[in-house]
């Protein structure tokens, strides 16, 4: 494994979030989804990325214990 794996992981997560948020904002701008659904989708995206981020952090910490 390379030593600079963490920055690549962070860049991947940020790019994933920004891409998904961009798609949601595009759907809002073109009025494909309503404002309420768009906000709900953005909140869901933040929650998923936060939850998976915590899971990744715990997995990496457990890996260091062994």
């Amino acid at each position: 494994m390379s030593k600079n794996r963490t920055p690549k992981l962070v860049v991947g997560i940020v790019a994933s979030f920004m891409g998904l948020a961009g798609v949601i904002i595009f759907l809002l701008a073109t009025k494909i989804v309503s404002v309420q659904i768009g906000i709900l989708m953005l909140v869901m995206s933040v929650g998923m990325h936060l939850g998976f981020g915590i899971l990744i952090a715990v997995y990496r910490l457990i890996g260091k214990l062994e």
Side-chain angles (χ1 to χ4, degrees), residues 19-40:
L20 197 55
V23 169
I24 294 169
I25 291 170
F26 173 77
L27 291 174
L28 277 168
T30 57
K31 305 259 191 238
I32 293 175
V33 297
S34 67
V35 174
Q36 294 85 5
I37 296 296
I39 292 172
L40 186 64

Side-chain angles (χ1 to χ4, degrees), residues 3 9 12-14 20 32 36 40 42-46 50 56 63 65-66:
K3 288 188 124 194
L9 185 67
I13 291 172
V14 169
L20 197 55
I32 293 175
Q36 294 85 5
L40 186 64
L42 286 171
V43 169
M44 175 272 316
S45 177
V46 169
L50 184 66
I56 290 169
L65 291 175
E66 296 174 348

Side-chain angles (χ1 to χ4, degrees), residues 37-64:
I37 296 296
I39 292 172
L40 186 64
M41 288 166 58
L42 286 171
V43 169
M44 175 272 316
S45 177
V46 169
M48 280 182 44
H49 280 84
L50 184 66
F52 280 114
I54 291 170
L55 285 175
I56 290 169
V58 167
Y59 177 77
R60 291 175 62 98
L61 288 173
I62 288 174
K64 289 182 181 179

